[in-house]
Amino acid sequence: MNRDLSEIITCYATKSHAELSQLMVNKSKDNLISCLNDLLTVYMNDKNSSSLREFITVTVAGYKHNSAKLGYNGFKHSDEIGGKPINCEAKPKNIQTEGYEERKTKPRLNADGSFNDYTYKRLNKDIKENFNLLCSGFVDGELHYIIEFPFSVIAERMKDNLDSKFHGNIPEGVYLRSSSFNFSHIEKSPLLKVVYLNKEAIERNKKYFNRNFYNFLILQ
């Protein structure tokens, strides 16, 4: 983070709006451009927050983003007259290349995602709602792809995850901590759609992709 950005962020958190405005007025255009670029880099690659990556995924896919923590990540109006809004849930994943080769476990982009604290009750609700999932992949904050499909495509996978641990009966107050899926669970579905694709970036960053998923994307 450069010194000017550090100064602006500190002022934002500790000073008045008038003092912040004056500080920014005193910065040159080049300073402000550099600060914005650094801020976006930090925010897009934040390991502890995917808020901006979620926003980009939902917006680029043609949905209106829901900034509230509760509920679906976005929605759009149905093409049918009087139809219910179509909800979506974003599952963005970002690969940071710095220090990648030194990691013991090397993550790869694979159209994967997960649901936390999962139950049969939640599964039944999700099947009924059948919202759309948006799986997106980033490398150092650069968007490479967005895959879209309805929840029904992974419903069986979610049930299998629950059954493998609870065999159809979860005690009160107990959850499946993480119920995951990846490209192998969706690749054969005719409902799978690619809504955004940056082939040049994908080819450049082939090493960060699961091989089968990479081959699928390149053939689109």
Side-chain angles (χ1 to χ4, degrees), residues 5-216:
L5 178 57
S6 176
E7 184 182 11
I8 289 171
I9 290 174
T10 302
C11 184
Y12 177 89
T14 62
K15 305 294 183 180
S16 67
H17 179 73
E19 289 173 293
L20 175 64
S21 296
Q22 187 58 52
L23 174 63
M24 296 181 72
V25 165
N26 292 337
K27 300 291 184 185
S28 70
K29 179 181 178 180
D30 287 343
N31 281 150
L32 293 176
I33 290 173
S34 178
C35 287
L36 179 58
N37 185 61
D38 274 14
L39 181 61
L40 288 171
T41 300
V42 170
Y43 196 4
M44 284 294 295
N45 290 287
D46 189 347
K47 294 180 180 179
N48 300 311
S49 174
S50 62
S51 297
L52 195 56
R53 296 188 294 273
E54 175 190 296
F55 172 82
I56 290 169
T57 301
V58 168
T59 303
V60 172
Y63 292 79
K64 181 175 176 59
H65 184 245
N66 174 21
S67 59
K69 290 185 177 181
L70 298 178
Y72 295 107
N73 299 140
F75 70 92
K76 64 181 177 181
H77 296 292
S78 171
D79 292 334
E80 299 178 8
I81 298 176
K84 291 175 58 179
I86 302 170
N87 295 310
C88 71
E89 188 84 9
K91 299 295 180 183
K93 183 175 180 178
N94 184 50
I95 300 292
Q96 289 184 284
T97 61
E98 184 178 358
Y100 186 85
E101 295 303 327
E102 286 71 47
R103 299 176 198 173
K104 290 183 179 180
T105 302
K106 295 179 174 58
R108 287 182 170 80
L109 296 171
N110 194 23
D112 48 330
S114 65
F115 295 86
N116 297 328
D117 300 333
Y118 214 62
T119 63
Y120 287 105
K121 182 178 179 180
R122 171 72 184 279
L123 172 63
N124 291 332
K125 178 179 180 292
D126 289 344
I127 291 173
K128 182 180 178 181
E129 294 292 331
N130 200 30
F131 53 90
N132 285 338
L133 280 129
L134 302 172
C135 294
S136 58
F138 298 77
V139 177
D140 290 334
E142 179 185 16
L143 179 62
H144 284 48
Y145 67 84
I146 302 175
I147 306 295
E148 181 178 23
F149 55 91
F151 179 83
S152 58
V153 172
I154 59 165
E156 192 62 32
R157 165 65 177 178
M158 296 295 102
K159 184 177 184 301
D160 288 345
N161 288 342
L162 288 167
D163 288 346
S164 66
K165 186 172 182 64
F166 300 112
H167 310 290
N169 184 28
I170 300 181
E172 187 70 26
V174 178
Y175 307 88
L176 179 61
R177 184 168 184 177
S178 179
S179 184
S180 64
F181 64 90
N182 59 47
F183 182 62
S184 68
H185 305 113
I186 65 175
E187 61 180 316
K188 295 181 180 179
S189 173
L191 301 177
L192 184 66
K193 294 194 301 183
V194 178
V195 297
Y196 177 86
L197 192 64
N198 185 340
K199 281 191 177 183
E200 187 279 329
I202 291 170
E203 291 174 349
R204 176 174 14 106
N205 290 303
K206 179 180 179 179
K207 65 186 291 184
Y208 304 114
F209 281 77
N210 167 274
R211 183 177 60 184
N212 289 340
F213 184 46
Y214 171 85
N215 290 337
F216 166 79

